Amino acid sequence: MTPSRRQALAGAGAALIAAPAAASAGARGVAGAAPRRVVSLASCLDAILVHVADRGQIAALSHYAREPIGSTIAEVARTLPFTWETAEEVIALRPDLVLTSRHSALATRNALGRMKIPTQLFAVPDSVAASLDQVREIARLVGRPERGEALIARIEAAVAASAPPPGSTPLTALIYQPNGFAAGRGTLMDEMMTRAGFENVAGRYGLGKWGNVPVERLLADPPQVLLSGVPVRGSRTWADRVMRHPVLKSLSGRMVQTQLEEKLLYCGGPVLIHTAAALAQARRTALEALT
């Protein structure tokens, strides 16, 4: 995932409310006929759509769905059509429902509105509850509400399973992705960290919802656990080098480094199943190293 893409996702999550925005051009729900050709223009919506819609309903996903670094559904997405998010591509698919987010291309959204193509605009959820509401809404829109409820049950079970034993002391932790990019308070990741037994300490480095933590600040005041991203194989960029900076080894006696894939950070829905499991494993790894 490129830095601009990362900033766009995080910025959208920080700025938006979590509930679905009002539909434009009359998006359909279960009250009418289920849509037969659905297009998704956002990676987080892609992940939900493939779990609740029939394969034959999916006219196209976003091109981000095929990125193995940024998508949890890359393997499935390679079997489905995709677009580069241009209005021309979407219109040519003749969709009867388009799922968009506020970081979908504005020009495309405007063009679809002028063409009276049914669309539904979603925000990036900043809580587990808001994410579950989004799953329920997308399942309703595609006429498969029972699949939405089944997926919600799986997500809730995974999140519950990630919780530490009652009375456990939270471990201080920081997300540390390429270029020191971190999730702060009021984000979905902040809640997921808390539920998995971590105390997100991004605020003590001056972060709001999202931002970069300089390695110097980390050295001066390390958390117990650093949830580092996974460097791209062969990458020589400074952004990736920051996560594995040699100086971090000097903190080995005070801080445990574990890996958390970047594709688990920005989306809710079924992605939370993977995120919950990864955070639970990270906590177990950290406890073993710290005791």
Side-chain angles (χ1 to χ4, degrees):
M1 184 181 295
T2 64
S4 60
R5 174 66 177 157
R6 186 181 305 116
Q7 294 283 0
L9 279 170
L16 303 175
I17 59 172
S24 64
R28 307 180 188 199
V30 292
R36 293 182 296 174
R37 296 186 59 76
V38 183
V39 173
S40 169
L41 298 181
S43 58
C44 295
L45 304 181
D46 295 335
I48 298 174
L49 185 62
V50 299
H51 279 82
V52 299
D54 291 343
R55 286 292 180 269
Q57 286 181 289
I58 303 174
L61 302 175
S62 77
H63 64 96
Y64 297 113
R66 296 187 170 206
E67 295 181 0
I69 295 175
S71 172
T72 58
I73 59 164
E75 186 173 342
V76 173
R78 284 193 287 270
T79 69
L80 294 166
F82 72 97
T83 75
W84 294 99
E85 206 178 334
T86 67
E88 292 83 358
E89 288 175 295
V90 177
I91 293 168
L93 289 169
R94 304 181 68 83
D96 50 6
L97 176 62
V98 180
L99 306 179
T100 70
S101 75
R102 297 210 186 254
H103 56 262
S104 298
L106 180 59
T108 296
R109 287 194 277 134
N110 288 341
L112 298 179
R114 290 192 296 270
M115 295 293 292
K116 307 300 182 184
I117 293 175
T119 64
Q120 184 78 22
L121 179 64
F122 288 87
V124 176
D126 57 9
S127 69
V128 172
S131 179
L132 300 185
D133 286 344
Q134 197 171 81
V135 170
R136 186 172 287 114
E137 176 67 1
I138 291 175
R140 183 190 70 82
L141 286 169
V142 302
R144 304 292 185 268
E146 71 289 347
R147 292 182 190 170
E149 295 306 318
L151 179 56
I152 286 170
R154 289 176 55 207
I155 295 168
E156 290 178 327
V159 173
S162 73
S168 299
T169 301
L171 299 177
T172 60
L174 178 73
I175 299 288
Y176 204 65
Q177 297 294 313
N179 210 33
F181 199 61
R185 291 296 181 89
T187 61
L188 180 56
M189 272 306 304
D190 178 58
E191 181 178 345
M192 290 296 291
M193 291 171 68
T194 300
R195 286 177 176 246
F198 293 103
E199 178 190 352
N200 184 9
V201 295
R204 75 190 194 192
Y205 303 107
L207 258 64
K209 284 197 169 183
W210 295 92
N212 300 87
V213 177
V215 68
E216 294 84 1
R217 297 289 301 275
L218 193 60
L219 290 171
D221 188 16
Q224 290 174 289
V225 184
L226 194 67
L227 298 165
S228 299
V230 180
V232 177
R233 180 175 295 181
S235 173
R236 296 182 179 274
T237 66
W238 174 250
D240 273 359
R241 288 178 59 197
V242 166
M243 297 187 298
R244 50 188 176 184
H245 199 293
V247 75
L248 294 177
K249 293 180 180 179
S250 66
L251 300 174
S252 59
R254 304 161 57 196
M255 182 182 76
V256 177
Q257 282 189 263
T258 64
Q259 290 191 327
L260 186 68
E261 293 181 283
E262 190 173 359
K263 62 187 174 185
L264 305 182
L265 294 183
Y266 306 113
C267 296
V271 178
L272 296 182
I273 297 172
H274 305 282
T275 304
L279 286 171
Q281 180 58 53
R283 190 175 192 277
R284 288 192 292 269
T285 300
L287 284 173
E288 290 175 3
L290 291 169
T291 55

